[in-house]
Amino acid sequence: MHEPPRLRVSAILHRGTQVLLVRHRKLDRDYWLLPGGGVEGGEELEQALRRELLEECDLGDIHPVGPIAVAETIAPPGSASRRHIVHLIFEATLPESIVHVASLDPAVGNHRLFELSELSDIDLRPPIQRFLSRWQPGDPFVPLGPLWSA
């Protein structure tokens, strides 16, 4: 049986053809995420995203737009995981004035600006590389459906 769904907000923080990702480590395995995190009870989505961007990236002056996409991560039958996560994805421009990103969250191991062309070579959760490679600011809302990374 799966866990109750968790709601996660995140942001495509972009600068030109680059997007900022955060590195997490779990069970001796590194993977990358859009910056963001869980929504707390009674918290508005944009408020949760701003709190998470401050915690994970020390970015307090970001103006998110959206949500622009939604995806689900549901563990497949027979998997050791029981996760069910609903991802609400926003977007925001990463200002040129920001040259260093820090984290107040011990789960975050690193930050990096990736070129969109590099995304196919990384373990991104959820696996939205194809969406990111095609997405442009101002695109309409996109339901990405259920996605899972092994």
Side-chain angles (χ1 to χ4, degrees):
M1 179 169 248
H2 283 90
E3 298 170 359
R6 289 182 25 227
L7 189 56
R8 182 177 193 277
V9 289
S10 61
I12 301 170
L13 294 176
H14 57 90
R15 180 186 292 159
T17 60
Q18 297 178 314
V19 62
L20 181 71
L21 299 179
V22 295
R23 182 175 59 100
H24 283 243
R25 184 168 193 82
K26 189 176 222 177
L27 302 174
D28 294 329
R29 189 171 176 186
D30 290 337
Y31 58 95
W32 295 88
L33 299 165
L34 294 172
V39 177
E40 296 175 359
E43 190 174 38
E44 295 177 6
L45 298 175
E46 191 171 317
Q47 178 185 16
L49 180 59
R50 287 177 183 277
R51 175 183 50 76
E52 287 289 344
L53 292 177
L54 189 60
E55 289 174 10
E56 286 198 346
C57 305
D58 198 21
L59 297 173
D61 195 23
I62 298 294
H63 305 284
V65 175
I68 61 161
V70 65
E72 285 186 284
T73 303
I74 304 173
S79 168
S81 177
R82 297 177 17 224
R83 289 179 171 238
H84 182 173
I85 302 171
V86 177
H87 304 267
L88 291 170
I89 303 168
F90 291 72
E91 70 100 356
T93 301
L94 188 63
E96 292 288 335
S97 61
I98 296 173
V99 293
H100 177 72
V101 178
S103 180
L104 307 172
D105 185 340
V108 174
N110 194 9
H111 300 82
R112 182 172 160 210
L113 274 170
F114 281 88
E115 287 290 337
L116 293 174
S117 60
E118 295 179 279
L119 296 181
S120 62
D121 298 330
I122 66 166
D123 185 1
L124 179 62
R125 311 275 176 99
I128 58 170
Q129 288 93 328
R130 185 174 176 190
F131 167 72
L132 289 175
S133 70
R134 295 177 177 186
W135 175 81
Q136 296 290 315
D139 279 356
F141 176 83
V142 179
L144 298 173
L147 305 167
W148 181 256
S149 290

